[in-house]
Amino acid sequence: MDASVELVVERLAAVRQRIERAGGDAANVAILAVTKGFGAEAVRMAMAAGLDEVGENYAQELVAKVEAIAADQPRWHFIGRLQRNKVRKLAPSVHLWQSVDRIALGHEIAHHAPGAAVLVQVNVSAEPQKGGCDPNEVAELVRELRDLDLDVRGLMAVGPTGAPEAARPGYRQVRRLADDLGLDVRSMGMTGDLDVAVEEGSNLVRVGTALFGPRPKAAAVAG
Ligand SMILES: *Cc1c(COP(=O)(O)O)cnc(C)c1O
């Protein structure tokens, strides 16, 4: 095995250990490899390490990686702030739209990818730049997305900037909302706060840095 793949395999084992220590069952907490800011090589390494779900934040970067990888594609998750005019070119590649936070996006996705699987992003940080629907409006948005025949699988949240512990109340709220709405997927937690997220019921953690190391600065803003 390639040395860089071996490193990702080791880091993945460490992430799994963190999940278990937080009380998560490795079989029930999915790991999404977040490759934003890293090259297509990171996608190949993730796949070689056994991860076939990969997340990207920026439309252009996702499309560029789809082209660079050509044959053996992972299941792509779109996890970033999404503009309506980017939906069309993403539609053929995206397996799960994690950042749906308004009905206008739902319309666009339903048009270009009928029946697509989506998560509703909930804003639990009071930081508007992070996107997400107000917690009080989640139930209504879920209903409206279902009326468009989209397959609403669950909720997604990005924790506030700062100490991991600060994310706990928001994650707890998302867990409760998902349970109330009968939604299975709770996409919560990244490298910095996945422990708290799993403690609060995450079953999908989105991890970049913990697998690939520090993100190259210049590339991180491409998109
Ligand atoms: C970048 C990003 C991640 C991964 O962040 P790391 O700290 O590298 O693990 C997860 N989710 C979202 C929405 C992101 O933007």
Side-chain angles (χ1 to χ4, degrees):
M1 196 186 290
D2 191 295
S4 50
V5 173
E6 236 165 73
L7 184 57
V8 173
V9 168
E10 266 170 39
R11 287 167 166 170
L12 176 58
V15 169
R16 291 209 165 105
Q17 236 168 35
R18 282 174 66 185
I19 290 171
E20 274 169 33
R21 267 192 228 115
D25 174 352
N28 293 324
V29 180
I31 297 171
L32 178 73
V34 177
T35 49
K36 69 152 184 262
F38 300 101
E41 201 44 41
V43 179
R44 293 195 194 93
M45 289 195 293
M47 293 176 81
L51 296 171
D52 61 356
E53 316 254 334
V54 173
E56 283 286 339
N57 285 59
Y58 303 102
Q60 254 152 263
E61 200 178 335
L62 191 153
V63 169
K65 281 176 193 160
V66 166
E67 283 165 11
I69 287 163
D72 199 13
Q73 298 285 329
R75 291 175 155 193
W76 293 103
H77 293 221
F78 194 82
I79 62 172
R81 299 218 62 183
L82 183 54
Q83 292 165 279
R84 268 193 318 168
N85 64 2
K86 298 287 164 60
V87 168
R88 188 160 70 104
K89 69 174 177 181
L90 289 171
S93 305
V94 172
H95 168 78
L96 180 61
W97 305 82
Q98 288 210 17
S99 51
V100 178
D101 61 359
R102 55 199 192 279
I103 193 60
L105 269 180
H107 280 288
E108 202 69 16
I109 293 169
H111 179 65
H112 293 289
V118 303
L119 304 183
V120 167
Q121 183 178 349
V122 187
N123 190 317
V124 293
S125 68
E127 294 168 63
Q129 71 277 12
K130 292 210 161 119
C133 164
D134 185 289
N136 296 313
E137 291 163 7
V138 170
E140 192 188 345
L141 181 55
V142 166
R143 224 176 3 254
E144 290 172 336
L145 293 168
R146 284 183 171 149
D147 285 344
L148 297 173
D149 288 330
L150 290 169
D151 178 11
V152 185
R153 298 266 175 91
L155 305 180
M156 181 273 230
V158 179
T161 306
E165 200 53 42
R168 190 180 297 278
Y171 289 160
R172 188 166 294 179
Q173 183 180 20
V174 170
R175 168 71 198 260
R176 210 178 302 125
L177 267 172
D179 286 350
D180 288 349
L181 297 167
L183 296 168
D184 292 332
V185 178
R186 304 173 295 265
S187 171
M188 316 190 289
M190 2 205 274
T191 293
D193 65 359
L194 70 89
D195 321 83
V196 168
V198 170
E199 282 168 13
E200 295 302 332
S202 170
N203 57 11
L204 202 181
V205 293
R206 308 176 308 265
V207 184
T209 314
L211 295 174
F212 307 114
R215 194 168 281 115
K217 253 211 157 78
V221 295

